[in-house]
Structure formats: C-alpha cells, structure tokens
Amino acid sequence: MTMAVTKLRVEEKLYQNRYLVDPGRPHIKVRPHERPSANLLALTHICPAKCYELNDKGQVETTSDGCMECGTCRVLCEANGEIVWNYPRGGFGVLFKFG
C-alpha cells in the first residue's frame, strides 16, 4: 500500500498566519553598520519569514511586517548588539491561525 505524500511549502503555511502591523513602531531594528557581519548576512537566508534583505549599499535591512517572532534573529545577533529586538505591543504582531 502506498501513501500519498503532500508537500507544502513554508510560504503556503505562513500564508495562514495574520500580522497586525504597528505603524511607525517596528519591534526589530538593525543597528547601523558599514559592512554586515556573517551573522547578519545569514539572517537574509535563514529567517523563515524573509524579514531581512540586503539593500543596494550592501547593508542588511529589516521589514518586521510578517515576522513570526521565532527568535532566530535574537539568537544570532542580539547578544552582540547588531539588532534591537522587543516584543510587539499588545494586540500587534503575528496572529497564528492554528495555534
């Protein structure tokens, strides 16, 4: 007996979540830098919500809209001061549909 395997992409699962943006008050900020560290560059690849990207000047920027608040960026970059991370204000941030 063979079982059918359904493959879902992460993006399809993330689409189920909702995010309430707090205008003008992002909960993540990347500190100014001339050249991004290896950890900041890694965030452009490993953040599951794709909140980090390189700009035209080769610096890492963040857009916290859609952040899943998983803590990956905190583990990699908060201790050395490359990012400032706070929980969103009450009522804002990610709203998980299934949990």
Side-chain angles (χ1 to χ4, degrees):
M1 180 168 103
T2 24
M3 297 183 71
V5 176
T6 304
K7 291 186 179 182
L8 288 176
R9 294 178 32 187
V10 171
E11 291 81 6
E12 292 169 1
K13 290 184 178 186
L14 290 176
Y15 181 74
Q16 300 296 319
N17 299 328
R18 296 292 173 250
Y19 192 86
L20 187 57
V21 177
D22 192 359
R25 295 186 72 173
H27 70 283
I28 305 170
K29 295 178 185 174
V30 176
R31 293 204 188 258
H33 56 278
E34 290 183 25
R35 290 181 33 205
S37 69
N39 284 356
L40 273 177
L41 288 174
L43 285 178
T44 64
H45 299 287
I46 65 172
C47 174
K50 306 289 186 220
C51 292
Y52 295 86
E53 58 183 28
L54 284 174
N55 64 17
D56 296 338
K57 297 177 183 176
Q59 297 177 329
V60 175
E61 292 181 334
T62 186
T63 305
S64 59
D65 303 0
C67 174
M68 296 180 355
E69 301 168 30
C70 67
T72 301
C73 57
R74 292 182 76 183
V75 170
L76 278 178
C77 297
E78 188 178 41
N80 59 14
E82 294 179 299
I83 65 166
V84 176
W85 196 101
N86 295 294
Y87 286 103
R89 289 189 306 154
F92 294 95
V94 68
L95 307 168
F96 294 106
K97 183 172 183 180
F98 296 110

